Amino acid sequence: MAVRVVVTGMGVCAPNGIGLAAFGNALRQRKSGISFRPELEKLKFSCQIAGKPNIESVNLNNYFTNIQLKGLNASGVIYGVKAGKDAWQDAGLSADIETPDWDSGIIFGTGILGVDKFREAIYQVDEGNVRRLGSTSVIQTMASGISAYLGGMLGCGNQVTTNSSACTTGTEAILMGYERIKTKKAKRMLVGSCSDSGPYVWGGFDAMRILPRNYNDNPKKASRPMSATASGFVPGSGAGALVLESLESANARGAKIYGELLGGSINSGGQRNGGTMTAPNSEAVIRCIRSAVQEAGINSDQIDVINGHLTATTKDSLEIQNWSRALGRSGKDFPYVNSFKGLFGHCLAAAGSIECVGSLLQFESGQVFGNQNCEDLHPEIEKIVDPSRIPQESLDVKPKIIAKASFGFGDVNACVIFKSHTN
């Protein structure tokens, strides 16, 4: 009998909401998490706004021991541990175990981890103060630090690792965990991704001139996916986490089920035929979407909602065109499409996992969440999709099947298909 994979727990640390309740409300009500960042102004950034989770009210003692908190200066670790432990608890799973849980593993990705800690360490080394680095500088700055922290906190004895594929990281991690369960190598996998905050992560993008420069005094209007006046993506950060589990295991525990993961696809355009380090090969994108639909065992006309990558750059209209070609749908027949980046920017390596959490919350809400800042729809998009399919407000429409995709630097792609759960 084929193994079915379901989502039994979720956690999120997003710029517009910490925790599922706050995040879900923010998506429903289209509450923005983008704000002016004085530190970017001081450093002479052209784009001085960003989406950064507000964790000031979070009691970190609920997530870290005093020893772990000593010298902790890696925002991605903090976001990821909070999202991951919240997801584990949300799934009704315990970390209070004496021996490793051999059936549970972790695939938790990141782009770069602990960059502020790394900067701190570099200064210490250059000043000859190596002995002052402390015992946690390595684990805070190694890419797999996030999965290592979570693995020890939760006692997972199955595969514990970190993936890294730029903006595709989170969605890729979900599909890697799905495969692990599907092939019966694990019963449960905590999957997700995180991204550090701050100028050392965002600076390179500012230098590339792909961030909006004219909204420093109006941050909430800056991130404009699918808009005719889109002028670049707003940098963001945070973490999202999901507990994937075999349906058999979930039913045996009586676990709550947010949705079923029907399948998905991961590929690369090889940086050929228009694909580059920073631009997608449309043929690869189309193949990825079609392969995901085939793997999910559905027809393309069954997809109710697309949660796109849609970053508010010049590539948004091309992405919509690729979805249309891949699914063979257009006009009023096109699925509803939304992008959450209008509310919290592009969270880089964390984007896919945060947006997958948001996508699944649409099942629970019985809604299609509305878009932000695309009231002036791009004319090339309007040629393909009827404006009614790009809602400006959240709609009381219950989706049954949602397609979520992420496309990243390096010409890499991932698409996952979620289904509202019925046994």
Side-chain angles (χ1 to χ4, degrees), residues 293 298-304 327 329 333 335:
V293 171
I298 61 169
N299 297 319
S300 62
D301 61 2
Q302 292 178 265
I303 294 172
D304 301 307
L327 301 178
R329 298 174 64 179
D333 178 55

Side-chain angles (χ1 to χ4, degrees), residues 323-339:
W323 278 106
S324 180
R325 289 174 61 193
L327 301 178
R329 298 174 64 179
S330 61
K332 289 185 177 180
D333 178 55
F334 202 78
Y336 288 109
V337 56
N338 53 22
S339 171

Side-chain angles (χ1 to χ4, degrees), residues 175 178 261-265 292 295-296 415-418:
L175 286 168
Y178 163 80
L261 205 167
L262 294 180
S265 180
E295 163 77 16
C415 181
V416 60
I417 310 289
F418 295 113

Side-chain angles (χ1 to χ4, degrees), residues 342-355:
L343 295 171
F344 47 72
H346 187 353
C347 295
L348 307 173
S353 57
I354 293 174
E355 292 163 17

